Amino acid sequence: MARQNVAEQFVDILVRAGVRRLYGVVGDSLNPVVDAVRRNPAIDWIHVRHEESAAFAAGAEAQITGRLAACAGSCGPGNLHLINGLYDAHRSMAPVLALASHIPSSEIGLGYFQETHPDRLFQECSHYSELISSPKQMPRLLQTAIQHAVGQSGVSVVSLPGDIAAEPAPEKAAQSALVTSRPTVRPGDEEIDRLVRMIDAADRVTLFCGAGTAGAHAEVMEFAGRIKSPVGHALRGKEWIQYDNPYDVGMSGLLGYGAAYEATNECDLLILLGTDFPYNAFLPDDVRIAQVDVRPEVLGRRSRLDLAVWGDVRETLRCLIPRVKEKTDRRFLDRMLKKHADALEGVVKAYTRKVEKHVPIHPEYVAAVLDEVADDDAVFTVDTGMCNVWAARYVSPNGRRRIIGSFSHGSMANALPMAIGAQFTDRRRQVVSMSGDGGFSMLMGEFLTLVQHDLPVKVVLFNNSSLGMVELEMLVAGLPSHGTANANPDFAAVARACGAYGVRVEKPKQLAGALRDAFRHKGPALVDIVTDPNALSIPPKISREMVTGFALSASKIVLDGGVGRMLQMARSNLRNVPRP
């Protein structure tokens, strides 16, 4: 049996760590690794059209599966293209291993063709970034990188010169056990005791939940019921906490709706659960705050804390529930539920009035119809910008659906490549890319990736021929919109020219049928929907600073978003409010 080379050993270790796909674009320095993948039946090389997409796809796969995913780029410009997608994966806490292949080891530091220093370049968007400089070093260094990515939930980068990848691997290299999952973290007794005392002493408690509540829905509901607390959420907490939630008061932040802002600012104890919510302007500065998070480095970095609790949300709540005193006064909770329902009633009217006749089509209407038509276990990948708004307000979570976007990094063009990674995890599951025309056209080459791999991703394109969120930002800053218009083709015709299903929708009455036809199609499909460029989003709480140069009267003619089926849930929750 022929002796393994370093590339083959590298790929074997990835397989042992649970990696099933390596997303990337081939190149000379990567050739030994790509060839090793070709000869290993346990892993596939996934050819994409841009390395940025490879990193986005790997990040999405990791978020869907909870397991390590991997991507690769060739030396210099090739691996440099990975950086944006890796930033997103890292900030989303997605465990991703990136292979940055490198120039010949003898030429490093001598200004060689395509020379960069990837071990330095990726330090800011990774927990670990190191250069392999000898075959003997590779197994231990790769193991260390994998355990950083898995153990700290983020990115690790391994730089590997192509010549070293082709060298013989060391004989009898030790096969160390690999860490492939994370443990739960329980807070200390002292922190639990202090938090119990704070909760028992408070009359009005609000829970504000983020992505760290994943897997803790039952515990959050039981805890909220025990202490009679409204439950608000950040965007990344929506899919985990909003469904089957009789205490729901909506979402806070720039894309928010409902009474979440009031609930977080009118309580006397705010408990932040698994959220690193970035917009501290929406958080109170005059109430007591406790924060629970498994990442100690985020505790207190957004707001002043009265108590920092280092621990997993589910384990922390399991400790708290039997120990806190059950509260009997529902007045604060019921008042917030009423405010929430009233707020939703007002905004729903904005998009229901003669919407079936409005041309160009209201994007809110598109999102509402999409929510009704899509599968109950669909994965939605969401472009940054106005698509974030429509997904936040219209896509209804149910515990089975997933909603993935560049919610922490805020990159354009993320939805389509993320859909690639999501679809590869399960070809039978419906994956919907909610793309804006700006984001879609930026990485439009990845539609060819869908066709090449026959991935049945459905692209729902919100085509308003503009960068809508940027236009809103300009208006809020008192600036006329400039440089935001897109001269677009017929994207449906482009899809058909690529060999996929494509349909263009210009009238509301065509929408539901077009979506159903596209979803029934067995392969990739694109629905190009011409939407109203004047439909913009207004935050639920507007400060003087936010509206500088932007007439308040504009809010009367600008749709500030509806909320689809969330109104039904709010009305249902109100039935539980005792009547005087």
Side-chain angles (χ1 to χ4, degrees):
M1 182 177 176
R3 185 174 168 184
Q4 275 192 324
N5 64 20
V6 170
E8 290 168 326
Q9 191 178 68
F10 186 99
V11 171
D12 279 352
I13 294 172
L14 288 185
V15 170
R16 286 177 46 224
V19 174
R20 296 295 174 260
R21 282 163 286 274
L22 191 57
Y23 300 90
V25 178
V26 298
D28 56 354
S29 59
L30 261 180
N31 286 346
V33 174
V34 175
D35 188 62
V37 171
R38 178 184 65 84
R39 290 181 284 107
N40 191 320
I43 189 169
D44 293 321
W45 176 263
I46 306 300
H47 170 57
V48 297
R49 301 305 173 107
H50 195 291
E51 290 91 349
E52 179 180 353
S53 302
F56 273 127
E61 178 182 321
Q63 290 180 71
I64 291 291
T65 65
R67 299 191 303 269
L68 183 71
C71 57
S74 59
C75 65
N79 64 57
L80 192 59
H81 283 157
L82 293 169
I83 197 163
N84 192 50
L86 292 182
Y87 259 100
D88 182 82
H90 194 55
R91 300 186 71 181
S92 299
M93 295 184 68
V96 170
L97 187 286
L99 168 60
S101 69
H102 207 352
I103 62 172
S105 57
S106 61
E107 302 297 329
I108 294 174
L110 299 174
Y112 191 72
F113 175 64
Q114 293 189 324
E115 180 174 13
T116 59
H117 292 88
D119 52 317
R120 304 178 200 169
L121 281 167
F122 294 103
Q123 285 182 353
E124 190 174 322
C125 63
S126 67
H127 291 302
Y128 185 85
S129 181
E130 291 292 347
L131 171 68
I132 294 173
S133 54
S134 77
K136 290 182 179 180
Q137 178 195 16
M138 191 281 292
R140 287 183 299 153
L141 192 147
L142 180 55
Q143 176 186 341
T144 301
I146 289 169
Q147 294 180 176
H148 271 80
V150 174
Q152 298 185 40
S153 290
V155 170
S156 284
V157 182
V158 172
S159 302
L160 177 62
D163 60 314
I164 291 179
E167 287 185 18
E171 293 189 66
K172 298 181 180 179
Q175 289 199 3
S176 299
L178 292 168
V179 171
T180 57
S181 62
R182 297 183 68 194
T184 57
V185 178
R186 181 196 181 281
D189 290 336
E190 182 179 348
E191 285 73 27
I192 293 294
D193 290 342
R194 290 181 62 191
L195 186 51
V196 168
R197 290 195 295 270
M198 290 175 68
I199 294 167
D200 288 346
D203 293 322
R204 304 181 306 278
V205 183
T206 293
L207 306 181
F208 187 67
C209 303
T213 58
H217 183 274
E219 288 79 6
V220 173
M221 295 305 106
E222 184 178 358
F223 184 56
R226 189 167 181 82
I227 64 173
K228 306 301 182 286
S229 169
V231 178
H233 59 268
L235 178 55
R236 291 191 66 205
K238 173 185 172 73
E239 63 178 327
W240 305 115
I241 216 68
Q242 186 194 27
Y243 69 95
D244 295 340
N245 181 354
Y247 316 105
D248 178 54
V249 290
M251 187 172 81
S252 192
L254 294 172
L255 309 187
Y257 55 82
Y261 180 87
E262 287 82 359
T264 54
N265 281 264
E266 295 180 23
C267 60
D268 53 25
L269 174 60
L270 174 62
I271 303 178
L272 306 175
L273 294 176
T275 179
D276 189 27
F277 185 66
Y279 303 110
N280 54 13
F282 290 87
L283 294 174
D285 55 12
D286 57 352
V287 304
R288 303 191 79 191
I289 301 177
Q291 183 179 4
V292 180
D293 208 290
V294 75
R295 298 173 295 167
E297 70 272 16
V298 308
L299 293 170
R301 73 177 180 183
R302 306 299 185 196
S303 59
R304 177 198 55 77
L305 295 183
D306 295 276
L307 179 62
V309 180
W310 180 12
D312 175 84
V313 170
R314 184 170 62 178
E315 293 302 314
T316 302
L317 294 183
R318 286 177 174 176
C319 294
L320 288 173
I321 289 169
R323 297 184 57 182
V324 297
K325 295 176 183 177
E326 183 167 6
K327 297 184 185 298
T328 57
D329 188 346
R330 288 182 53 108
R331 286 177 295 177
F332 177 62
L333 170 60
D334 293 342
R335 181 162 60 87
M336 290 300 110
L337 291 175
K338 180 70 165 56
K339 277 192 174 186
H340 181 58
D342 290 346
L344 301 196
E345 289 279 4
V347 295
V348 164
K349 293 175 183 176
Y351 91 96
T352 54
R353 191 180 300 114
K354 297 182 180 179
V355 68
E356 72 282 354
K357 298 180 180 179
H358 187 92
V359 178
I361 303 170
H362 281 324
E364 300 95 326
Y365 179 66
V366 176
V369 173
L370 173 60
D371 183 52
E372 294 284 349
V373 172
D375 288 351
D376 287 342
D377 66 344
V379 177
F380 297 86
T381 60
V382 183
D383 258 344
T384 298
M386 297 310 295
C387 284
N388 262 304
V389 180
W390 315 138
R393 296 179 176 178
Y394 288 91
V395 175
S396 302
N398 57 13
R400 299 170 62 202
R401 286 177 165 179
R402 294 297 312 272
I403 307 170
I404 295 175
S406 187
F407 299 142
S408 296
H409 186 50
S411 173
M412 282 184 68
N414 61 286
L416 178 57
M418 283 181 167
I420 292 170
Q423 191 72 82
F424 264 114
T425 67
D426 186 351
R427 286 178 174 268
R428 296 168 297 178
R429 190 175 186 181
Q430 187 180 81
V431 176
V432 179
S433 173
M434 294 178 65
S435 298
D437 57 291
F440 179 78
S441 57
M442 184 177 283
L443 285 174
M444 191 163 59
E446 299 309 334
F447 196 79
L448 296 172
T449 301
L450 301 184
V451 175
Q452 180 164 337
H453 295 287
D454 195 27
L455 288 175
V457 170
K458 314 307 178 190
V459 178
V460 178
L461 186 59
F462 290 72
N463 182 3
N464 63 2
S465 298
S466 71
L467 303 177
M469 184 63 81
V470 180
E471 285 194 355
L472 176 60
E473 292 165 350
M474 289 179 169
L475 287 170
V476 169
L479 302 172
S481 60
H482 183 73
T484 58
N486 292 327
N488 290 330
D490 180 337
F491 287 111
V494 173
R496 292 192 295 271
C498 293
Y501 181 95
V503 62
R504 187 174 173 90
V505 178
E506 297 181 349
K507 297 181 179 179
K509 65 181 181 181
Q510 303 169 336
L511 179 62
L515 288 173
R516 289 191 179 98
D517 289 345
F519 289 172
R520 281 193 292 264
H521 182 71
K522 298 297 184 184
L526 182 144
V527 184
D528 180 9
I529 306 166
V530 180
T531 59
D532 187 351
N534 295 314
L536 302 176
S537 166
I538 300 298
K541 188 70 176 181
I542 306 174
S543 68
R544 184 178 301 277
E545 291 78 14
M546 291 178 190
V547 296
T548 301
F550 185 71
L552 282 173
S553 60
S555 65
K556 297 178 182 178
I557 60 173
V558 175
L559 297 181
D560 62 346
V563 286
R565 284 188 279 180
M566 282 180 268
L567 176 59
Q568 299 172 22
M569 185 173 69
R571 287 171 175 164
S572 176
N573 291 343
L574 270 185
R575 298 190 190 110
N576 299 319
V577 176
R579 302 301 178 192

